[in-house]
Amino acid sequence: MTVRVMSAMMGALLLVFAQLHAQTDPLPSWNDGPARKAIVDFVQATTTQGGPSFVPPEARIATFDQDGTLWVEHPMYTQVVYCLERVHVLAEQDPKLKDVEPFRTVLSGNREAMAKLTMPDLEKILAATLTGMSVDRFNTEVKKWLTAAKDPRWKRPYTELTYVPMQELLKYLRTSGYKTYIVTGGGQDFVRVYAEQVYGIPPEQVVGTAGGTKYGYDKARKPFLIKEPKLLLNDNNAGKPEGIHLMIGRRPYAAFGNSTGDRQMLEYTKAGDGTRLAMLVLHDDGQREYAYGPAAGLPATRVGAFTQSLYDEAKKNGWTVISMKKDWKRIFAFE
Amino acid sequence: MTVRVMSAMMGALLLVFAQLHAQTDPLPSWNDGPARKAIVDFVQATTTQGGPSFVPPEARIATFDQDGTLWVEHPMYTQVVYCLERVHVLAEQDPKLKDVEPFRTVLSGNREAMAKLTMPDLEKILAATLTGMSVDRFNTEVKKWLTAAKDPRWKRPYTELTYVPMQELLKYLRTSGYKTYIVTGGGQDFVRVYAEQVYGIPPEQVVGTAGGTKYGYDKARKPFLIKEPKLLLNDNNAGKPEGIHLMIGRRPYAAFGNSTGDRQMLEYTKAGDGTRLAMLVLHDDGQREYAYGPAAGLPATRVGAFTQSLYDEAKKNGWTVISMKKDWKRIFAFE
C-alpha cells in the first residue's frame, strides 16, 4: 500500500468519524431555545469552510468568565473563602495577628462585622494570604485546601460546583477548534491550580487578576519565584479586554460572562469583524442554584451584578442571555 | 466495517506514518556534535512513554529568546531599527519634533551622535514610536514596515534573517509535542505581528516586554485599546522567569538563549525536576553571520553580551553551547 493510498484512506476514515461525532448531541444539558440556538448557529457559521463567516482555526479564541459563569459564586467567591480560612492558619503561625485589624475581625467569625470590611481591609487580607510565599508553596497550599474544603450548601468540594451545561459548551467549542480561555476577575495563580483538572483548561489559558513575582535564590543558589503584593493586572471591567490583549494578543470570537465586570469583554468581542458570540448567564433559578440581581427581578447582591443596565445593553447589542432556569436541563454533575 | 475495526486500522496507519516520519532527519542543518546530540537525547528522554524522564504532553513547554537566538540581532535589534525609522515618519507628521531632543539627533542621521544616546533618550523614542496609538493601528504599521524594510548587509527583509537550524529545532520540538514560546526582551506586541508567519508561533505564545493598554470608545461607541507608555513587564534577565510565570504559569522543560539577558530563564528552567535542556547560541561565525562577545574571544558589543561569566556558568551547570560555526551546516534559508 503506498503512502498516497494510505493518506486517502485515512482521510475517508476521519470523515466517517467526524460524521459519527456530529450525530451525537454536544449539548445534552441544554433545552431547545434561543441560547442553545445561538451557540449552535455560531459554531456552524464560524467553522463552515468556504462560508462567509468562516474563522481559520488559529483565530478561534473563546473566553469565559469563571465566578458565576462556569461555577457558583454565591454567596461568596471561592477564593475569598480560601483567603478568609487562610487567616486562621496564619494566626496559628503568628499569634500577634489576633490583635491586628482586619485580621481580628476575620478571626472573630462575626459575619456582620466581616460584611462591613472595607476594600483596603480586603486588600490587606489578600496580600497576607496570597503573597509573600514562593509560587510552588502557594500552589501546594491551594491544592491541599481544595481537597478538604466543602461548600456549606451542597457539602461538596467547590470544584464540583461547576455548571454541566457550561462544561459541555467548553468541550463543544474545543471540538470545533476553539481554544478556550478563562478570563477571570479572580486570582490568575489561584484559578490555574485547578483549571486543567476542573475545566480542561491549561494554566497558560487562564487570564486573571495577577500580581508580580520576584526572582531570587535560596541558600543552595536554587532559583525560585516569590509572589509579591504588587498588582500587575486587575482583570475586571476594562481590565478584561486589556488582559486579553496582554495575555492572548487576539480578539475573542466568543465571550461568556454574567456580570457588569464582563461588560467590556463582551463589547470588545462583539466589536470585531464577522460573526461573534456574546452571552450572559442569568442567575434566575433560586431552587436549583441561586436567583439574584435586578435583571432577575431580585435585589442586587455584593457579587454577580447583572444589573438592569447590563440587561439593556445585552438586548441592544444582540448579546444572548442564558436563563439558568429555562435553558439548562441540569446544573450540576452530582444531581 | 465497524467503528472498532476502523479504529484499529487508523491506529495501525498512524503508527506507520509515525515510523516514516521518524526515519526523516528532523535536524538536517545541524552537524553531528554535542549540541545536536543534546537536543536529540532530550527529546527522546522526555517523550519515551514509561521512561524515567517522560514528560506528559501538556507539560511540554519550550521557550526561545528571539534576538540573536532565532534571528540576527547584530549590529542593531530589528525593533530598534523600526523605532528609529518611525521617528522620520513622525517628524513628517509633526515638524516640531525636528527641534526636540532626542528626536533631532535621530533625524540628523549622525551615527556617532546616535550611539551616544542615553537610556532615557531611548525610552523617549520607544514611547513616541510604540505607544499612543490603537493596537490595530500599531499592527498595521509594523506589518507595512516589515514588508518594505531590508537589512543593509543581506539586502533582504528582516523576516528572512532567521536561522534555519533553529527553525528546524522549533518544528522538531513541536512534532514531539512541545508547545514552543518566544520569550523576548523585545516588545511583545512587535514580535506578535510576525511570529506566526515567521516561526509558526501564534501571538498568544509570544512573551515579551509589555506595556499597558487602555480600553476606550470612539465616537461611534466602538471600543478599542490604546497602547500606553506604561511598562508592565521588562522581559529581560530576572524578568524572563517572572514573565514566564505571568504568561505561561509553568516552568519550561527546555530554554534557548544567547546572552546574559537569558541567564535567569536558563537557570529557572534547569532548576526544575527531571530532565531539562538549556542551550546558548554562540555567535562565533564572522563569515556567515557575525562573531562577537568575550566568549568568542572577541570584544563585547552593545548587544548579545555572551560574557565569559555566562560561559563559565553554562559549563558549570551543564548548559550546552551551540557554536554557529561548528554546529550549523547552514544558517539562512536564502543561502
Side-chain angles (χ1 to χ4, degrees):
Chain A
M1 194 154 48
T2 67
V3 170
R4 187 186 295 265
V5 171
M6 283 195 294
S7 281
M9 279 191 58
M10 276 184 68
L13 285 172
L14 283 169
L15 205 68
V16 171
F17 268 78
Q19 284 164 349
L20 281 173
H21 179 84
Q23 285 158 15
T24 318
D25 178 7
L27 300 170
S29 303
W30 291 73
N31 287 316
D32 279 332
R36 183 193 164 95
K37 184 169 165 16
I39 296 167
V40 173
D41 287 354
F42 167 80
V43 168
Q44 287 182 348
T46 56
T47 59
T48 301
Q49 196 121 22
S53 301
F54 180 72
V55 176
E58 68 274 13
R60 293 183 197 160
I61 303 281
T63 55
F64 290 79
D65 168 59
Q66 185 197 218
D67 294 297
T69 299
L70 294 178
W71 76 355
V72 176
E73 67 178 355
H74 201 79
M76 212 187 262
Y77 296 135
T78 302
Q79 190 180 356
V80 174
V81 179
Y82 172 77
C83 291
L84 295 177
E85 294 193 5
R86 279 302 290 173
V87 169
H88 292 265
V89 179
L90 292 181
E92 274 168 37
Q93 290 159 8
D94 178 10
K96 281 198 308 287
L97 276 188
K98 285 172 190 154
D99 304 318
V100 183
E101 286 298 353
F103 306 103
R104 190 168 56 176
T105 298
V106 173
L107 293 166
S108 76
N110 181 337
R111 293 212 155 230
E112 253 176 80
M114 279 162 72
K116 283 183 197 145
L117 289 174
T118 63
M119 213 47 187
D121 287 336
L122 204 61
E123 277 165 18
K124 273 182 207 156
I125 293 164
L126 297 183
T129 54
L130 302 175
T131 71
M133 71 206 76
S134 79
V135 159
D136 293 342
R137 169 82 186 284
F138 174 76
N139 290 352
T140 308
E141 295 291 354
V142 174
K143 230 175 251 170
K144 207 173 77 185
W145 182 80
L146 284 171
T147 313
K150 286 198 171 139
D151 170 86
R153 174 169 164 190
W154 286 282
K155 318 263 185 282
R156 290 185 172 268
Y158 290 97
T159 48
E160 290 187 22
L161 300 187
T162 69
Y163 308 134
V164 171
M166 296 306 283
Q167 293 274 14
E168 291 171 1
L169 175 54
L170 283 169
K171 279 188 200 120
Y172 179 40
L173 287 171
R174 288 198 289 260
T175 311
S176 308
Y178 277 86
K179 227 172 177 171
T180 53
Y181 282 81
I182 289 174
V183 177
T184 173
Q188 180 168 282
D189 283 350
F190 186 82
V191 179
R192 280 177 170 176
V193 172
Y194 56 83
E196 188 144 38
Q197 179 216 322
V198 172
Y199 304 113
I201 294 179
E204 61 269 27
Q205 285 164 226
V206 175
V207 179
T209 295
T213 56
K214 198 171 163 52
Y215 181 82
Y217 304 93
D218 67 11
K219 282 174 202 154
R221 238 194 114 70
K222 193 176 164 161
F224 64 95
L225 291 168
I226 287 279
K227 283 171 69 64
E228 291 214 301
K230 183 187 141 197
L231 187 68
L232 285 186
L233 172 66
N234 180 356
D235 199 43
N236 276 300
N237 306 312
K240 290 211 173 188
E242 291 161 9
I244 287 169
H245 177 70
L246 176 68
M247 309 282 293
I248 310 177
R250 309 196 205 235
R251 193 192 297 258
Y253 273 84
F256 305 87
N258 78 303
S259 81
T260 51
D262 304 311
R263 183 195 295 257
Q264 289 88 343
M265 173 167 79
L266 269 60
E267 288 174 349
Y268 181 65
T269 298
K270 273 296 232 184
D273 300 335
T275 301
R276 311 262 169 169
L277 180 65
M279 298 186 90
L280 284 167
V281 174
L282 178 67
H283 293 263
D284 59 356
D285 194 330
Q287 204 152 12
R288 294 188 300 170
E289 202 239 13
Y290 293 103
Y292 52 91
L298 294 153
T301 62
R302 196 163 175 173
V303 298
F306 195 138
T307 60
Q308 191 59 45
S309 97
L310 184 66
Y311 197 83
D312 295 343
E313 186 169 354
K315 282 209 150 175
K316 200 179 122 210
N317 294 348
W319 305 348
T320 308
V321 174
I322 300 165
S323 159
M324 294 183 79
K325 197 169 176 176
K326 291 184 218 147
D327 289 316
W328 290 357
K329 274 186 203 150
R330 195 161 79 130
I331 295 190
F332 300 112
F334 54 78
E335 282 169 338
Chain B
M1 195 152 49
T2 66
V3 169
R4 186 186 294 266
V5 171
M6 284 196 292
S7 280
M9 278 191 59
M10 277 185 68
L13 286 171
L14 282 168
L15 205 68
V16 171
F17 269 76
Q19 283 164 350
L20 282 173
H21 179 86
Q23 285 158 16
T24 319
D25 178 6
L27 300 170
S29 302
W30 291 74
N31 288 314
D32 279 332
R36 183 192 163 94
K37 184 171 165 11
I39 296 166
V40 174
D41 286 354
F42 167 79
V43 168
Q44 289 183 347
T46 57
T47 59
T48 300
Q49 195 121 24
S53 301
F54 180 72
V55 175
E58 68 274 13
R60 292 182 197 162
I61 303 282
T63 56
F64 290 80
D65 169 58
Q66 185 197 216
D67 294 298
T69 299
L70 293 177
W71 75 355
V72 175
E73 67 177 353
H74 199 80
M76 211 185 262
Y77 297 134
T78 302
Q79 189 180 357
V80 174
V81 179
Y82 172 78
C83 291
L84 295 178
E85 295 193 4
R86 280 300 292 174
V87 170
H88 292 264
V89 179
L90 293 182
E92 275 169 37
Q93 292 159 7
D94 178 10
K96 282 198 308 287
L97 274 188
K98 285 172 188 152
D99 304 318
V100 182
E101 287 296 358
F103 306 104
R104 187 166 60 175
T105 298
V106 173
L107 293 165
S108 75
N110 181 335
R111 294 213 153 230
E112 251 175 81
M114 278 162 71
K116 282 181 196 144
L117 289 174
T118 62
M119 214 48 190
D121 288 336
L122 204 62
E123 278 166 19
K124 273 181 207 157
I125 294 164
L126 298 183
T129 55
L130 302 176
T131 71
M133 71 206 77
S134 79
V135 159
D136 293 342
R137 168 84 187 283
F138 174 77
N139 290 351
T140 308
E141 295 291 354
V142 174
K143 232 177 246 170
K144 206 172 78 183
W145 183 81
L146 285 170
T147 313
K150 286 199 169 137
D151 171 87
R153 175 169 163 189
W154 285 282
K155 318 261 186 283
R156 289 183 173 269
Y158 289 97
T159 47
E160 290 187 21
L161 300 187
T162 67
Y163 308 135
V164 171
M166 296 305 283
Q167 292 274 15
E168 290 171 2
L169 175 54
L170 284 169
K171 279 187 202 122
Y172 179 39
L173 287 171
R174 287 198 289 260
T175 311
S176 308
Y178 277 87
K179 225 171 180 173
T180 54
Y181 281 82
I182 289 173
V183 177
T184 174
Q188 180 168 283
D189 283 350
F190 186 82
V191 179
R192 279 177 170 175
V193 172
Y194 56 83
E196 187 144 40
Q197 178 216 324
V198 173
Y199 304 114
I201 294 179
E204 62 268 26
Q205 284 164 228
V206 175
V207 179
T209 296
T213 56
K214 196 170 164 56
Y215 181 82
Y217 305 91
D218 68 12
K219 283 172 204 156
R221 238 194 116 72
K222 193 179 163 159
F224 63 94
L225 291 169
I226 288 278
K227 284 171 67 66
E228 291 215 300
K230 182 187 139 198
L231 187 67
L232 285 186
L233 172 67
N234 180 357
D235 198 44
N236 276 300
N237 306 310
K240 290 211 172 189
E242 289 161 10
I244 287 169
H245 177 70
L246 176 68
M247 308 282 292
I248 311 176
R250 308 196 206 236
R251 193 192 298 257
Y253 272 85
F256 306 86
N258 79 304
S259 80
T260 50
D262 304 310
R263 185 195 294 257
Q264 289 85 344
M265 173 168 76
L266 270 61
E267 287 174 349
Y268 181 64
T269 299
K270 273 296 236 183
D273 299 335
T275 300
R276 311 262 169 169
L277 180 66
M279 298 186 92
L280 283 166
V281 175
L282 179 67
H283 292 262
D284 59 355
D285 194 330
Q287 206 153 11
R288 295 187 300 171
E289 202 240 11
Y290 293 103
Y292 51 91
L298 294 152
T301 63
R302 197 162 172 175
V303 298
F306 195 138
T307 60
Q308 191 59 46
S309 97
L310 184 66
Y311 198 83
D312 295 344
E313 186 170 354
K315 282 209 151 175
K316 201 180 121 209
N317 293 349
W319 304 349
T320 307
V321 174
I322 300 166
S323 159
M324 294 182 79
K325 196 169 179 176
K326 291 185 218 148
D327 289 315
W328 289 357
K329 276 187 200 148
R330 197 162 77 130
I331 295 190
F332 301 112
F334 54 78
E335 283 171 334

